[in-house]
Amino acid sequence: MKARVIAYVLLGVYALISLYPFAWMVSGAFKDRKEVLEGGNLIPDRPTLDTFATTWGELDFLPYFVNSLLVTVATVIGVLVVYSLASYAFAVLKFPGSKLIYAGFVSLLFVPGITVLLPVVILQQELQLLGTQLGLVLPFVNGTAPLAILLLTNAFRSVPSELRESARCDGASELRTFLSIYLPVSRPALIAIALLTAVPTWNEYVLSRVSLNDAAVFTLPLGLQSLTSTTSPQYNVIMAASLIIVLPVIVLFVLLQRYFVNGLVGAVKG
């Protein structure tokens, strides 16, 4: 009992330390420039919404939002389509070398993404995709492969084999069995993968910064950078822009958190 209390206290302290920078960002978004530079309290003395109006105009929010949304949605769809099929093959179908190939994919979890940045950019250039949104989507889909295959394969393995055998006896094809049985049963795992894909894709900066040069295809993180590159940055505007960018992710997680937790638990158990 005492050990549990100590663990809760330590986790609480860690949570407060982790949340403090976010709380300060939210606070700064409701302050004017003078109050932000003065420091002051976490709770604004002169709260204002004018910062958001200024931010919306200076960030040119809508085009960047649309670009980020297109890249994120395309990446999530690509991940769910490609790796649900691949995971079904690893979990259900028997073919030579399946265990070795599966182990190869999972081992990529331990490879830092930054180590393949240069090869990815060179490949983009060779395929004439450098500077395009498709040139971002394909590496993002590929980079999600290890985690997606690990979780979805375990989720599919947890589906009783009797369901597949019954469908096959009724004359269902392999694809029909996959679509009618395995996908609906594994919906929480699919939602978990969708969230784990959408959040880093929405927030991704490094590859986008290296790949994109045309402001017309910039995503939100690159648009945010334009606010910090001025000689005299307005920190309250930067904080308001950061809050606007992160809000869709927070809302999405709040709406789907039950499926997210169930998906992770089911996949790990499987």
Side-chain angles (χ1 to χ4, degrees), residues 148-165:
I149 287 177
L150 175 65
L151 295 182
L152 290 177
T153 299
N154 286 335
F156 290 154
R157 284 173 177 169
S158 66
V159 177
S161 59
E162 291 79 5
L163 293 177
R164 177 173 179 266
E165 293 172 1

Side-chain angles (χ1 to χ4, degrees), residues 122-145:
I122 294 175
L123 185 59
Q124 286 177 326
Q125 189 171 14
E126 292 294 326
L127 296 175
Q128 298 183 353
L129 295 175
L130 191 63
T132 67
Q133 293 176 339
L134 182 60
L136 292 180
V137 170
L138 294 180
F140 292 162
V141 171
N142 182 71
T144 314

